[in-house]
Amino acid sequence: VDAALALQSKGHEVSFLTNHHDPEHCFDETKDGRLPVKTVGDWLPRDIFGKFYAACAYVRMVYAAFYFSFFLSKKEPVDVVFCDLISMGIPIFRLARPNPKILFYCHYPDQLLSKQGSLLKQCYRMPLNYLEEITTAQADSILVNSKFTSRVFKETFKRIATDPDVLYPSLNTRYFDETVLDESDHVVKLPNDAFMFLSINRYERKKNLPLALHSFKALQERVSPGEWNKVYLVMAGGYDDRVLENVEHYDELEELAEDMRIRSKVCLLKSPTDRQKLFLLHRAQALLYTPEFEHFGIVPLEGMYLSKPVIAANSGGPLETIIHDQTGFLCEPVPKEFAAAMAKLLSDDKHGER
């Protein structure tokens, strides 16, 4: 969406073609008319009896690619197809006229997002992994979101001779600068003197969110009772009722907070709006960013843009965005290390003011 807005600001016409678009669960720009969105193939299954998610996603993308190449492109000729996540449609996009250039943005190789699993699953993934590589190679240009992802890309796709270019995701800074918040955006009510740690991530197990809770609990042992009374943790993230993992993991985090007896000081929010998220970023004193080997990580940028220090795992994308002991702390992803950094921010005014 940010890429589309940036292109649009330079005078280009931009529209979206996707398999699913929920007006109740999407970016504002895609539902208020600024960015036209066309949905095709949403009737195709997302899974088969809770399995075969990747195969179904590929089929849905191929369907969208055929729709574009043989119907949409004839009505609305395009110069560039900006494709991300799934490369399977690239050969079909090449059939469109008048020969648009194909730009593929690789957030991370899809095959590495799937757990290894049994021999049967490995056999299932083998042709999908092969197709991912040969279709990715057919793009006119390949971009990745970090140097970390670039290294992983080259280690994974050994048949692709071209080195991808790094294009870091950025922020719509105008939104951060010009949005005026009102009382309705105040999604949490905390005492004025409260010190708020904020975690923003989708409710997925790979995001390592329990680390935030364990670190918050470990912080209790490092600070005085008076300081502890002022500290709160807010966890906000993308939540979709259709995604079983979101539902399960949210419940797991609530139960974990209860078991550690910190539930009264922890607030879990589901899918805050952009305005609510902006309020949370303004209200927070510091951010916790828990994923390991994150491909890039946009949340640290959002926090640092608003002068909030970020405590993050010392791997992946954050190594390229956070300056240790200046814009935040890069820590081993264990509660002891995160809690030590949290205690330092709580007691050290100079860090809190950065």
Side-chain angles (χ1 to χ4, degrees), residues 1-16 27-30 32-36 171-175 274:
V1 171
D2 286 337
L5 291 170
L7 289 166
Q8 200 176 62
S9 72
K10 297 295 184 181
H12 301 290
E13 292 185 27
V14 185
S15 62
F16 279 87
F27 293 103
D28 289 340
E29 295 88 351
T30 66
D32 62 11
R34 279 177 283 176
L35 293 172
L171 306 178
N172 180 3
T173 55
R174 180 178 295 177
Y175 178 81
D274 288 342

Side-chain angles (χ1 to χ4, degrees), residues 81-211:
V81 175
F82 188 111
C83 178
D84 76 340
L85 292 178
I86 299 174
S87 62
M88 206 65 66
I90 293 174
I92 303 164
F93 289 133
R94 287 199 161 280
L95 301 176
R97 294 293 178 267
N99 300 317
K101 294 293 185 182
I102 314 297
L103 177 67
F104 183 67
Y105 196 98
C106 177
H107 298 268
Y108 205 68
D110 181 67
Q111 58 191 262
L112 300 183
L113 299 176
S114 175
K115 293 181 180 178
Q116 195 76 356
S118 64
L119 178 61
L120 185 61
K121 182 175 181 180
Q122 292 177 44
C123 293
Y124 155 70
R125 284 291 324 188
M126 195 177 298
L128 298 181
N129 297 346
Y130 173 75
L131 287 170
E132 180 185 12
E133 183 167 8
I134 63 169
T135 55
T136 297
Q138 294 182 43
D140 292 295
S141 183
I142 303 171
L143 303 175
V144 292
N145 54 12
S146 65
K147 294 176 183 177
F148 169 72
T149 301
S150 178
R151 290 194 297 272
V152 173
F153 181 97
K154 286 183 277 190
E155 291 167 2
T156 305
F157 298 135
K158 292 183 169 56
R159 296 184 185 90
I160 300 179
T162 305
D163 285 345
D165 293 315
V166 176
L167 177 62
Y168 287 116
S170 187
L171 306 178
N172 180 3
T173 55
R174 180 178 295 177
Y175 178 81
F176 283 76
D177 295 337
E178 298 178 0
T179 300
V180 178
L181 301 173
D182 54 42
E183 190 69 26
S184 65
D185 302 314
H186 295 195
V187 70
V188 293
K189 307 290 185 183
L190 298 178
N192 291 334
D193 63 346
F195 191 106
M196 175 180 146
F197 287 101
L198 174 64
S199 167
I200 299 178
N201 256 309
R202 293 188 302 277
Y203 287 107
E204 298 175 356
R205 295 183 182 93
K206 68 181 181 182
K207 297 299 184 180
N208 201 19
L209 293 172
L211 175 59

Side-chain angles (χ1 to χ4, degrees), residues 286-287 300 304 307-312 318 321-331 341 344-345 351 354:
L287 269 68
M304 292 186 293
S307 302
K308 311 297 179 178
V310 183
I311 302 171
T321 57
I322 297 170
I323 303 174
H324 182 67
D325 206 28
Q326 291 188 38
T327 60
F329 297 99
L330 295 164
C331 306
K344 191 170 186 178
L345 290 176
H351 283 99
R354 287 180 186 175

